[in-house]
Amino acid sequence: GQNIDQPTEMTATEGAIVQINCTYQTSGFNGLFWYQQHAGEAPTFLSYNVLDGLEEKGRFSSFLSRSKGYSYLLLKELQMKDSASYLCAVRDGNYGQNFVFGPGTRLSVLP
Amino acid sequence: DGGITQSPKYLFRKEGQNVTLSCEQNLNHDAMYWYRQDPGQGLRLIYYSQIVNDFQKGDIAEGYSVSREKKESFPLTVTSAQKNPTAFYLCASNAGRVNNEQFFGPGTRLTVL
C-alpha cells in the first residue's frame, strides 16, 4: 500500500527555525517533493529530493533518507508569510509515475 | 505567461445536477491530473492523463468523468452519482520527466446545495 504521514499542525515563532517531518511507505520511489499551500490557493513547489542528503534553497532546506523512508523540510528565519500548509508528496514509479500526497502540515507562525 | 487556468473559482450547483470544471494549460505538458482536497486531508487523485486521448482512473474516480481531446485541456465532470461532491478541486500538469514537479491551477471550490 501507499502511506505518507506528516504532523497535522505545528506552531512556531517569527524568526525561529522549524522542521516538518514526513515518513512514507510506497511501492515505488522516484523522488520526494515538498509544496507550500496557502489557504484556498494552489500548492506551489518548494523542493525535490531523489538522492539521500540535504538540498538547500535559501531559507528552505529538505532532507531525504531513502533507507528510512523519511524526509524533513527545514524552514529558517520564519516569517509571518510562512504560515501555510506544507505538503509532502512521493512520485511512485509503481503507481503510474503518479504523485502520492501526505495530509499536509499546517504551520502557524506567531509574532 | 505560461500556466494553468481553472474556472470558475467558485461554483454552486443544486444536488442532482452534473457540472463540468475546466482546466487549461499552455505549458505544453503531456501529463494532466485532477485532485480533490477536503479539509484536513491531502490531495486525492481522481483521474490522470499521460497523453492526449488517454486517461486513467485514480483512487476516487467514482462519480467523475474526464476527457482529453486536446493536449491543453482536461475538463472534469462531477456527475450526480458522486455522493459528496462539495470540495476544492485542483488541476495539475507535469512535463512528464521523473524529476519534474507538478504545476497547479488556482482551484475551483464546488458547493452543492
Side-chain angles (χ1 to χ4, degrees):
Chain A
Q2 300 162 320
N3 188 52
I4 299 184
D5 283 323
Q6 302 178 236
T8 305
E9 293 190 30
M10 298 183 72
T11 303
T13 306
E14 197 174 12
I17 299 173
V18 71
Q19 177 174 312
I20 302 174
N21 295 326
C22 170
T23 57
Y24 64 90
Q25 292 174 309
T26 56
S27 58
F29 180 84
N30 273 337
L32 188 143
F33 297 77
W34 283 95
Y35 291 86
Q36 180 190 61
Q37 185 181 26
H38 287 98
E41 297 183 9
T44 54
F45 170 72
L46 290 177
S47 70
Y48 167 72
N49 295 73
V50 67
L51 299 176
D52 291 351
L54 190 68
E55 294 283 341
E56 297 187 79
K57 263 189 184 183
R59 294 190 300 115
F60 292 49
S61 304
S62 57
F63 172 83
L64 175 68
S65 169
R66 287 172 297 170
S67 61
K68 295 182 179 177
Y70 168 70
S71 174
Y72 68 71
L73 180 69
L74 195 70
L75 292 75
K76 303 174 189 174
E77 300 169 15
L78 280 173
Q79 302 174 8
M80 300 296 288
K81 67 178 182 179
D82 296 330
S83 292
S85 288
Y86 291 86
L87 310 178
C88 172
V90 170
R91 189 156 201 187
D92 188 344
N94 293 339
Y95 180 50
Q97 293 289 356
N98 287 321
F99 296 78
V100 181
F101 281 84
T105 298
R106 186 159 56 204
L107 174 66
S108 298
V109 179
L110 306 178
Chain B
D1 285 330
I4 304 178
T5 57
Q6 291 183 245
S7 61
K9 179 77 171 170
Y10 299 95
L11 189 57
F12 296 88
R13 278 295 181 269
K14 291 183 179 179
E15 196 172 332
Q17 289 182 330
N18 291 355
V19 60
T20 297
L21 312 184
S22 78
C23 176
E24 303 279 331
Q25 55 100 358
N26 61 2
L27 299 166
N28 199 34
H29 285 170
D30 286 316
M32 296 187 74
Y33 308 78
W34 273 106
Y35 294 95
R36 170 182 173 138
Q37 188 174 36
D38 294 286
Q41 295 193 37
L43 277 61
R44 292 186 290 167
L45 183 64
I46 305 173
Y47 268 97
Y48 65 99
S49 169
Q50 303 282 17
I51 199 166
V52 175
N53 292 322
D54 185 58
F55 50 83
Q56 306 294 331
K57 292 181 179 180
D59 296 324
I60 55 167
E62 186 175 348
Y64 299 96
S65 65
V66 293
S67 63
R68 186 85 188 277
E69 297 175 2
K70 298 187 298 182
K71 188 175 187 177
E72 304 79 20
S73 179
F74 191 40
L76 174 75
T77 297
V78 185
T79 75
S80 56
Q82 168 50 232
K83 297 284 186 269
N84 185 19
T86 294
F88 187 49
Y89 291 88
L90 285 161
C91 179
S93 72
N94 171 262
R97 288 185 289 280
V98 170
N99 62 340
N100 290 148
E101 73 272 26
Q102 287 186 315
F103 291 82
F104 286 86
T108 292
R109 187 166 298 279
L110 173 65
T111 302
V112 176
L113 306 171

